[in-house]
Amino acid sequence: MKTFLLTFVVGALLLATYPAAACTTTLTGKKASADGSVMVSHSDDGLGDGRLIYVPAMDHKKGSMRAVYYDGCSLGYKPEWGGSETQRLVAKDRGPGYDTAGYTHSVPIGYIPQVKHTYAYFDANYGIMNEHQLSIGECTDKAKVEPEPAPGKRLFYSSELSRVALERCTKAREAVKLMGKLIDKYGYYGTGETLLVADTEEGWVMEMCGYEKDGTGGVWVAQRVPDDSFFVAANQFRIRDIRDSRDMMHSKNVFSAAKEKGWWSPKNGPLDWTKTYGDGEYHHPYYSLRRVWRAQSLVAPSKKLSAWVKGPLTKKYPFAIKPDNKLSVENIFTIHRDNYEGTEFDLTKGLAAGPFNDPNRFEGQAESVSKKEGELSTVKGAFERPLNIYRCVYAYVNQSRKWLPDSIGGLTWYGPDRPATACLMPFYAGVNNLPAPLQQGDILKFDRNSMWTAFNYVANYAMLKYSFMIKDIHSVRDRFEAEAFGRQLGIEQTALSLIKNKKKAEAKEMLTKYCDDNAQKVLNKWWKLSEHLYIKYNDGYLNTSAGIAQSVFYPAWWLKQVGYEKGPLTYAKHPGEH
C-alpha cells in the first residue's frame, strides 16, 4: 500500500509540473504577405485547456486594481493558485467566459493599477487578438534560470503580460514597451518566452526570462521583423546580438545582469541574447532547430538551407527570411500542419508510422518534461519533433489589415486541436462574442457541446487507420475552409457598407452571427464525421453502400518488417525456437 501511495504521489507531482512547453509561432510582414496583412500564427502544443474565450471591453472605477493571476503554462499547475489543470483561469473579473461554475477560483499573485477602459480581446492560454487588431503569438523557450512566482517580487509571466497588452494597447511597439515596463517593475517568473506582437503596420519579436531564482526582476529584448520577411520560433530564443537601433528594444539591465552572473563580458563583443540567457533547445538536439529549418525551407526553398548544424547556438538560420513567394493564411497554416512530408525526416514513413502512415509519435517522460527525473524506458533515443504534434490544443493565424476598419480588419483563423486534422474558422475582431462551443471544454469531460472535444475525438480516432481516415477528414475540412475563404470578401464588403452608413452596431451583429453560424455548422458536421469514420472503418474493414467488411490488409513492406512471414504456416518449428 505504501508503495502504491508513493507511486501515486510522485505521478501526481510529475503531472502537476507538466508545462505546455512546445509551441511554434510565426510572423509575416506586410510586404511578405499575399494581401498586405501582417500575420501572426501560433500552435499551442501542450495538452490542457483548449478553450477560446471572449473577454469583453470593460470600464473600471478610478483607483481600482487589476488582479494578476498565476499561469499554469509557466511552470505547471499549482493548486495553491486556484483554477484547475483543465481550466487555466476561474475569475469573475475577466468576463462571463472565465466565470466557470464548479471550479476553484483563481488566486491573484498580486495587483497592478487598473486603467479606465480595457479593450475586448480573444484569449486562450495566451492572449490572441484585441478589437484594435493588435495580435500576439507565443512559444516557450529554455532559459538558464526559471524562477517561481512570488507575491511582491515576481508577478508576471508572458500569458498575463500578453493579456494586459491586449487590454491596454493598440500598437505593437506600444505593447512591447508596456510589457517591458511591467517586467521591470513587477518582476518575471517561469520559463523563457517569445511573444510575437503585431499591428496593421509592423511586427515585433519580444523575448524574456528571469535571471535570478530569488530576484525581483527580469530581462527582455525585442527586435522588429522586416516588412518583407517571415519569422519563426520553436521553443528556443531567436534574437542574437543586441545593438542600438530603432528596430530593437531591451531592458536597461540586460547588460548589467549578464555581467553580474558572469555570463557575458563586453570584451567578448556584442551580447548574444540567445547564447547569454538561453539554455539551448528543449529536450534533445533538433527539437527546436528542425522546425525552424523546416518552416524557413517551406517559405524559401530557393535558399536550400541545410537541416544539419554543428550545435544548438548555430547562426545558420537567419532571424527572419524573405519568402520566395508572398504568403497567404493557407500557406502559413500549411506550415503548422507539416510532418516533414517529402523529406528525409518524413514521419508518415517507416516502421514507427505503422502500416497506415500515422505521423504521430507519443513522447516519453524524459523528452516531454524537461529537467525532471524518472524514465518510462531504458531505451535512449528520440523521435523527430514535427511542426504538427498530437498534443496541440489549438492553432491559429491572425491577420491585421490596415485598409479595413478594426472590427473587420482584425481576423483570427482558428483551428481546434492539432493542425493536421483541424478546420480553420474565421472570427472577426469586432464580434460581440465568440460561439459558446469554443468557450467551453474540459479535457477530463466528454462534452458534445465543446468544439475542442469534437476535434480532439476525431483526431484520436483517426490514428487507428490514419492514411485512410485523414482523406475523409480533409474532404470535409477542405469544403468548409474553401467556403469560408470564398465568402470572406462578400461578408467583409457587407460589413464595410454597414459601417460606412453609420451602422457599426449592425455590422458587428452581422459578423457575430456569421462567425457563430459557421462554427455551429462545423461542430455539427464534425460529430457527424466521427460517426461516419466509425461506421466506414468498423473492425478494420471498409464498410460502404458498395458492401460491408471489404478487406483492407496491411502493406507488404510492413508485413515483412514485423515478421508476418514467420507466422504459423506449417507445423514445423522455426530455427532457434524451443
Side-chain angles (χ1 to χ4, degrees), residues 309-325:
V309 297
K310 293 183 178 179
L313 298 177
T314 181
K315 291 188 177 181
K316 182 172 287 188
Y317 307 126
F319 170 74
I321 195 166
K322 187 175 180 179
D324 289 352
N325 299 291

PDB file of all heavy atoms in Angstrom, residues 309-325:
ATOM      1  N   VAL A 309      23.192  21.067 -38.385  1.00  0.00           N
ATOM      2  CA  VAL A 309      24.003  22.151 -37.824  1.00  0.00           C
ATOM      3  C   VAL A 309      25.038  21.554 -36.879  1.00  0.00           C
ATOM      4  O   VAL A 309      24.985  20.373 -36.548  1.00  0.00           O
ATOM      5  CB  VAL A 309      23.116  23.173 -37.067  1.00  0.00           C
ATOM      6  CG1 VAL A 309      22.136  23.843 -38.022  1.00  0.00           C
ATOM      7  CG2 VAL A 309      22.384  22.501 -35.902  1.00  0.00           C
ATOM      8  N   LYS A 310      25.958  22.399 -36.403  1.00  0.00           N
ATOM      9  CA  LYS A 310      27.027  21.910 -35.534  1.00  0.00           C
ATOM     10  C   LYS A 310      26.695  22.004 -34.044  1.00  0.00           C
ATOM     11  O   LYS A 310      27.410  21.450 -33.214  1.00  0.00           O
ATOM     12  CB  LYS A 310      28.318  22.677 -35.830  1.00  0.00           C
ATOM     13  CG  LYS A 310      28.883  22.387 -37.207  1.00  0.00           C
ATOM     14  CD  LYS A 310      30.191  23.109 -37.440  1.00  0.00           C
ATOM     15  CE  LYS A 310      30.769  22.768 -38.802  1.00  0.00           C
ATOM     16  NZ  LYS A 310      32.052  23.480 -39.072  1.00  0.00           N
ATOM     17  N   GLY A 311      25.628  22.717 -33.709  1.00  0.00           N
ATOM     18  CA  GLY A 311      25.279  22.844 -32.303  1.00  0.00           C
ATOM     19  C   GLY A 311      24.061  23.712 -32.095  1.00  0.00           C
ATOM     20  O   GLY A 311      23.548  24.331 -33.039  1.00  0.00           O
ATOM     21  N   PRO A 312      23.555  23.788 -30.870  1.00  0.00           N
ATOM     22  CA  PRO A 312      22.301  24.486 -30.583  1.00  0.00           C
ATOM     23  C   PRO A 312      22.358  26.000 -30.775  1.00  0.00           C
ATOM     24  O   PRO A 312      21.319  26.635 -30.903  1.00  0.00           O
ATOM     25  CB  PRO A 312      22.030  24.139 -29.118  1.00  0.00           C
ATOM     26  CG  PRO A 312      23.385  23.859 -28.541  1.00  0.00           C
ATOM     27  CD  PRO A 312      24.144  23.201 -29.644  1.00  0.00           C
ATOM     28  N   LEU A 313      23.549  26.577 -30.791  1.00  0.00           N
ATOM     29  CA  LEU A 313      23.674  28.028 -30.915  1.00  0.00           C
ATOM     30  C   LEU A 313      24.049  28.446 -32.329  1.00  0.00           C
ATOM     31  O   LEU A 313      24.575  29.540 -32.556  1.00  0.00           O
ATOM     32  CB  LEU A 313      24.703  28.548 -29.915  1.00  0.00           C
ATOM     33  CG  LEU A 313      24.356  28.308 -28.442  1.00  0.00           C
ATOM     34  CD1 LEU A 313      25.471  28.797 -27.539  1.00  0.00           C
ATOM     35  CD2 LEU A 313      23.040  28.985 -28.080  1.00  0.00           C
ATOM     36  N   THR A 314      23.745  27.612 -33.292  1.00  0.00           N
ATOM     37  CA  THR A 314      24.040  27.921 -34.681  1.00  0.00           C
ATOM     38  C   THR A 314      23.400  29.239 -35.132  1.00  0.00           C
ATOM     39  O   THR A 314      22.338  29.629 -34.637  1.00  0.00           O
ATOM     40  CB  THR A 314      23.532  26.793 -35.597  1.00  0.00           C
ATOM     41  OG1 THR A 314      23.860  27.111 -36.948  1.00  0.00           O
ATOM     42  CG2 THR A 314      22.023  26.635 -35.490  1.00  0.00           C
ATOM     43  N   LYS A 315      24.060  29.912 -36.057  1.00  0.00           N
ATOM     44  CA  LYS A 315      23.508  31.102 -36.690  1.00  0.00           C
ATOM     45  C   LYS A 315      23.190  30.825 -38.162  1.00  0.00           C
ATOM     46  O   LYS A 315      23.013  31.745 -38.955  1.00  0.00           O
ATOM     47  CB  LYS A 315      24.475  32.277 -36.560  1.00  0.00           C
ATOM     48  CG  LYS A 315      24.625  32.792 -35.134  1.00  0.00           C
ATOM     49  CD  LYS A 315      25.448  34.069 -35.075  1.00  0.00           C
ATOM     50  CE  LYS A 315      25.526  34.621 -33.649  1.00  0.00           C
ATOM     51  NZ  LYS A 315      26.301  35.881 -33.579  1.00  0.00           N
ATOM     52  N   LYS A 316      23.063  29.542 -38.478  1.00  0.00           N
ATOM     53  CA  LYS A 316      22.818  29.147 -39.859  1.00  0.00           C
ATOM     54  C   LYS A 316      21.439  29.591 -40.338  1.00  0.00           C
ATOM     55  O   LYS A 316      21.249  29.881 -41.530  1.00  0.00           O
ATOM     56  CB  LYS A 316      22.966  27.630 -40.000  1.00  0.00           C
ATOM     57  CG  LYS A 316      22.786  27.120 -41.430  1.00  0.00           C
ATOM     58  CD  LYS A 316      23.139  25.654 -41.545  1.00  0.00           C
ATOM     59  CE  LYS A 316      24.638  25.434 -41.459  1.00  0.00           C
ATOM     60  NZ  LYS A 316      25.025  24.038 -41.749  1.00  0.00           N
ATOM     61  N   TYR A 317      20.477  29.654 -39.411  1.00  0.00           N
ATOM     62  CA  TYR A 317      19.127  30.047 -39.798  1.00  0.00           C
ATOM     63  C   TYR A 317      18.919  31.511 -39.426  1.00  0.00           C
ATOM     64  O   TYR A 317      18.940  31.862 -38.245  1.00  0.00           O
ATOM     65  CB  TYR A 317      18.094  29.156 -39.104  1.00  0.00           C
ATOM     66  CG  TYR A 317      18.369  27.684 -39.336  1.00  0.00           C
ATOM     67  CD1 TYR A 317      18.497  26.798 -38.265  1.00  0.00           C
ATOM     68  CD2 TYR A 317      18.532  27.178 -40.625  1.00  0.00           C
ATOM     69  CE1 TYR A 317      18.773  25.452 -38.479  1.00  0.00           C
ATOM     70  CE2 TYR A 317      18.807  25.839 -40.845  1.00  0.00           C
ATOM     71  CZ  TYR A 317      18.933  24.979 -39.765  1.00  0.00           C
ATOM     72  OH  TYR A 317      19.209  23.655 -39.987  1.00  0.00           O
ATOM     73  N   PRO A 318      18.724  32.375 -40.400  1.00  0.00           N
ATOM     74  CA  PRO A 318      18.638  33.809 -40.114  1.00  0.00           C
ATOM     75  C   PRO A 318      17.455  34.159 -39.215  1.00  0.00           C
ATOM     76  O   PRO A 318      16.474  33.407 -39.128  1.00  0.00           O
ATOM     77  CB  PRO A 318      18.484  34.436 -41.496  1.00  0.00           C
ATOM     78  CG  PRO A 318      17.964  33.343 -42.366  1.00  0.00           C
ATOM     79  CD  PRO A 318      18.539  32.075 -41.829  1.00  0.00           C
ATOM     80  N   PHE A 319      17.566  35.309 -38.555  1.00  0.00           N
ATOM     81  CA  PHE A 319      16.485  35.792 -37.689  1.00  0.00           C
ATOM     82  C   PHE A 319      15.164  35.829 -38.453  1.00  0.00           C
ATOM     83  O   PHE A 319      14.137  35.347 -37.970  1.00  0.00           O
ATOM     84  CB  PHE A 319      16.840  37.184 -37.164  1.00  0.00           C
ATOM     85  CG  PHE A 319      15.715  37.875 -36.451  1.00  0.00           C
ATOM     86  CD1 PHE A 319      15.337  37.478 -35.172  1.00  0.00           C
ATOM     87  CD2 PHE A 319      15.035  38.927 -37.058  1.00  0.00           C
ATOM     88  CE1 PHE A 319      14.290  38.121 -34.510  1.00  0.00           C
ATOM     89  CE2 PHE A 319      13.995  39.573 -36.405  1.00  0.00           C
ATOM     90  CZ  PHE A 319      13.620  39.168 -35.123  1.00  0.00           C
ATOM     91  N   ALA A 320      15.174  36.394 -39.635  1.00  0.00           N
ATOM     92  CA  ALA A 320      13.992  36.432 -40.493  1.00  0.00           C
ATOM     93  C   ALA A 320      14.440  36.178 -41.920  1.00  0.00           C
ATOM     94  O   ALA A 320      15.591  36.438 -42.280  1.00  0.00           O
ATOM     95  CB  ALA A 320      13.284  37.777 -40.377  1.00  0.00           C
ATOM     96  N   ILE A 321      13.540  35.670 -42.742  1.00  0.00           N
ATOM     97  CA  ILE A 321      13.901  35.268 -44.094  1.00  0.00           C
ATOM     98  C   ILE A 321      12.866  35.800 -45.081  1.00  0.00           C
ATOM     99  O   ILE A 321      11.669  35.838 -44.776  1.00  0.00           O
ATOM    100  CB  ILE A 321      14.009  33.723 -44.163  1.00  0.00           C
ATOM    101  CG1 ILE A 321      14.736  33.279 -45.425  1.00  0.00           C
ATOM    102  CG2 ILE A 321      12.653  33.060 -44.037  1.00  0.00           C
ATOM    103  CD1 ILE A 321      15.163  31.810 -45.379  1.00  0.00           C
ATOM    104  N   LYS A 322      13.324  36.228 -46.228  1.00  0.00           N
ATOM    105  CA  LYS A 322      12.409  36.721 -47.254  1.00  0.00           C
ATOM    106  C   LYS A 322      11.844  35.532 -48.034  1.00  0.00           C
ATOM    107  O   LYS A 322      12.601  34.743 -48.606  1.00  0.00           O
ATOM    108  CB  LYS A 322      13.132  37.670 -48.211  1.00  0.00           C
ATOM    109  CG  LYS A 322      12.210  38.353 -49.205  1.00  0.00           C
ATOM    110  CD  LYS A 322      12.958  39.379 -50.038  1.00  0.00           C
ATOM    111  CE  LYS A 322      12.026  40.068 -51.034  1.00  0.00           C
ATOM    112  NZ  LYS A 322      12.738  41.097 -51.838  1.00  0.00           N
ATOM    113  N   PRO A 323      10.532  35.367 -48.054  1.00  0.00           N
ATOM    114  CA  PRO A 323       9.957  34.198 -48.744  1.00  0.00           C
ATOM    115  C   PRO A 323      10.104  34.296 -50.256  1.00  0.00           C
ATOM    116  O   PRO A 323      10.151  35.393 -50.822  1.00  0.00           O
ATOM    117  CB  PRO A 323       8.480  34.235 -48.325  1.00  0.00           C
ATOM    118  CG  PRO A 323       8.212  35.659 -47.952  1.00  0.00           C
ATOM    119  CD  PRO A 323       9.500  36.193 -47.403  1.00  0.00           C
ATOM    120  N   ASP A 324      10.159  33.139 -50.915  1.00  0.00           N
ATOM    121  CA  ASP A 324      10.252  33.112 -52.374  1.00  0.00           C
ATOM    122  C   ASP A 324       8.999  33.698 -53.014  1.00  0.00           C
ATOM    123  O   ASP A 324       9.062  34.346 -54.060  1.00  0.00           O
ATOM    124  CB  ASP A 324      10.450  31.678 -52.868  1.00  0.00           C
ATOM    125  CG  ASP A 324      11.830  31.137 -52.543  1.00  0.00           C
ATOM    126  OD1 ASP A 324      12.680  31.923 -52.067  1.00  0.00           O
ATOM    127  OD2 ASP A 324      12.053  29.928 -52.748  1.00  0.00           O
ATOM    128  N   ASN A 325       7.845  33.435 -52.393  1.00  0.00           N
ATOM    129  CA  ASN A 325       6.568  33.957 -52.871  1.00  0.00           C
ATOM    130  C   ASN A 325       5.806  34.525 -51.687  1.00  0.00           C
ATOM    131  O   ASN A 325       5.992  34.077 -50.550  1.00  0.00           O
ATOM    132  CB  ASN A 325       5.747  32.846 -53.534  1.00  0.00           C
ATOM    133  CG  ASN A 325       6.452  32.252 -54.742  1.00  0.00           C
ATOM    134  OD1 ASN A 325       6.599  32.899 -55.766  1.00  0.00           O
ATOM    135  ND2 ASN A 325       6.894  31.000 -54.613  1.00  0.00           N
TER     136      ASN A 325
END
